Amino acid sequence: MSHLVFTDSYINGEFYKTDKRFSVDDPATEKSIVEVSDIDEQGVNNAIDAAKGAFVKLKATNATSRSATLMRWYELVIEHKQALAELMTKEQGKPLKESLGEVEYGAGFIKWFAEQAKRSYGDVIPPTDDQHRLTSFKQPIGVVAGITPWNFPIAMVTRKVAPAYAAGCSFVLKPSEHTPLCALALAYLADQAGFEKGAFNVLVSENAKMVGELLTESDLVRKFTFTGSTAVGKQLLSQCASTIKRTSMELGGNAPFIIFDNADLDEAVTGLMGAKFRNAGQTCVAANRIFVQRSVLDKVVKKLNEKVDSLKVAHGFEEDSDIGPLIYAKAKQKVQELLMDAKQKGAIQINAVKELGGNFQAPVILTGVTPEMDIYHQEVFGPVVSIIAFDEEAEVIALANDVPYGLAAYFYSQDIKQIYRVSEALEYGMVGINEGLISNPVAPFGGVKQSGLGREGGHQGLDEYLEEKYVCMKI
Ligand code: ADP
């Protein structure tokens, strides 16, 4: 296996071993890859203290040197691209080609924030009288704690840690217990790149609740950033209230994907394949409700069926695998329950039913999905296309917006007036127009409503880790 496999939490530049261990499993084989040690309370507190110590050191650095360190980290991640991608496919299951893509995408955040580190400009404010000079400038918030999910084990880490370091903040990260190996490898490479000891600590644990409580309740931690489900995000947000932390929350979505009758249908179906099946549908921006204008419904379904038929569901290391396993058995069970509920309430599966073993889930196309079905309201997080027919633009906008979430939305249209109308009317943080894959380190990623707070990536991503200080001087 890769030389980048580490099995203990990483605190203050050293590995921290405990006696309690748990297994990280390969979702494709359901066999153990390796046992890792489970952090104890002492370890969590040590990591917070180490980050506090590192913050003092970081305060004495300048943006140009932090930028150079980030650039070395970026280069090391790219240098180890193959090993990191293999590690990812092992612990997360996605096809190797997608893992390679994610390493590049994840590294892209490090590079972007290496560049942005040098651009945390302040303001010189025109004074209101002759006796004062007014300025404001930006300073790092302090110690940051973050909790990340398993679906993008590298990108979800780099899009938080890189801007934090660029701003001059130190970090305590708890990655998902299902994918700690990529996070540990990233921390090791950051150390090699010259991160100060304690600037990036990784806590491996199966006891997310204990770690989450200590991180959110600590007064030393001044910023908390989370990516995961809305339910857990709400809980963590309320835990952060006791110490009034700054927070960023990247939570769940229920993305509409709308195909209007004037769209280029081939492009729409191609876009849908990406927005739906990437990572076996396990993304928070995955197309979840597919609205197709009734006059083109049959054509879209036919084209889609042909493409879905050619998808290969297989172990991520198999040549040409398009869809790997779901992350664990409970995830597959949830998809199956949603399918059963939808079918009982009248949805029709239009492709052949295929039962696959283990955590593998064959792609499914459902037509006749309605708001009465659970699948309409919940993030499927699996390879299921739920199709809903609509007649009018106003009707589909109302349906698209009528959910508590507002992360990503997509639509396909060739009518320029409609493009403006619909992109403005969709209550979502991100909109893809004639494009199904929109994530990009240079652009602000994030949601409205119950999909979250704050933005990652773009120039906005750096501000999440900076405080603005206003200075009023009498002369
Ligand atoms: P997912 O279903 O994608 O795993 P979760 O929101 O359950 O989404 O998990 C995202 C991250 O949140 C993971 O790192 C997980 O360990 C962590 N987590 C889950 N429950 C809690 C909790 N009660 N407190 C803190 N972290 C939690």
Side-chain angles (χ1 to χ4, degrees), residues 254 288-289 291 369-371 373-378 388 399:
N254 184 348
N288 211 52
R289 292 170 298 150
F291 296 100
V369 171
T370 66
M373 301 170 187
D374 292 341
I375 206 160
Y376 184 95
H377 299 282
Q378 293 184 27
I388 304 125
L399 288 170

Side-chain angles (χ1 to χ4, degrees), residues 261-325:
D261 57 6
N262 62 67
D264 179 322
L265 297 185
D266 289 317
E267 282 207 9
V269 169
T270 302
L272 176 57
M273 295 298 289
K276 180 71 251 181
F277 293 111
R278 186 170 61 117
N279 204 6
Q282 303 171 113
T283 81
C284 51
V285 293
N288 211 52
R289 292 170 298 150
I290 321 307
F291 296 100
V292 183
Q293 203 149 13
R294 206 175 304 275
S295 54
V296 292
L297 181 66
D298 290 347
K299 278 193 203 151
V300 167
V301 168
K302 185 166 176 287
K303 286 176 192 290
L304 185 66
N305 205 0
E306 281 163 18
K307 282 205 191 277
V308 167
D309 202 38
S310 68
L311 288 175
K312 181 171 170 188
V313 184
H315 193 296
F317 282 121
E318 260 187 52
E319 192 78 20
D320 301 333
S321 166
D322 296 306
I323 298 184

Side-chain angles (χ1 to χ4, degrees), residues 92-249:
Q92 202 276 343
K94 66 180 68 178
L96 188 61
K97 62 188 174 200
E98 285 194 25
S99 295
L100 287 164
E102 185 185 333
V103 179
E104 289 243 0
Y105 169 61
F109 285 97
I110 306 177
K111 190 175 184 206
W112 170 252
F113 286 111
E115 291 157 349
Q116 287 302 104
K118 297 175 278 186
R119 301 194 181 111
S120 59
Y121 302 115
D123 284 324
V124 177
I125 302 156
T128 52
D129 58 47
D130 296 340
Q131 284 143 35
H132 292 90
R133 294 295 178 267
L134 315 178
T135 55
S136 77
F137 59 90
K138 290 176 181 170
Q139 292 184 302
I141 292 181
V143 174
V144 180
I147 295 185
T148 49
W150 47 261
N151 58 349
F152 291 93
I154 285 188
M156 295 303 110
V157 174
T158 55
R159 60 158 63 180
K160 296 185 190 302
V161 177
Y165 188 86
C169 297
S170 52
F171 211 107
V172 181
L173 171 77
K174 191 207 81 65
S176 167
E177 56 275 37
H178 303 291
T179 56
L181 303 180
C182 283
L184 288 169
L186 282 174
Y188 171 79
L189 293 175
D191 178 87
Q192 301 288 299
F195 268 46
E196 292 71 9
K197 283 194 188 312
F200 178 15
N201 308 279
V202 178
L203 305 177
V204 177
S205 182
E206 244 189 342
N207 191 349
K209 192 168 175 296
M210 178 274 285
V211 179
E213 278 171 5
L214 290 175
L215 294 178
T216 50
E217 285 163 14
S218 166
D219 228 342
L220 297 178
V221 174
R222 294 314 315 147
K223 158 96 193 187
F224 186 78
T225 171
F226 174 72
T227 301
S229 60
T230 296
V232 174
K234 283 182 186 176
Q235 194 182 324
L236 292 168
L237 194 56
S238 72
Q239 286 171 215
C240 286
S242 64
T243 49
I244 314 288
K245 289 189 206 328
R246 283 270 300 275
T247 53
S248 301
M249 296 276 153

Side-chain angles (χ1 to χ4, degrees), residues 6-10 15-18 21 36-37 184 202 204:
F6 306 102
T7 56
D8 302 303
S9 292
Y10 192 67
F15 290 103
Y16 181 95
K17 235 186 185 47
T18 60
R21 302 184 85 72
V36 292
S37 61
L184 288 169
V202 178
V204 177

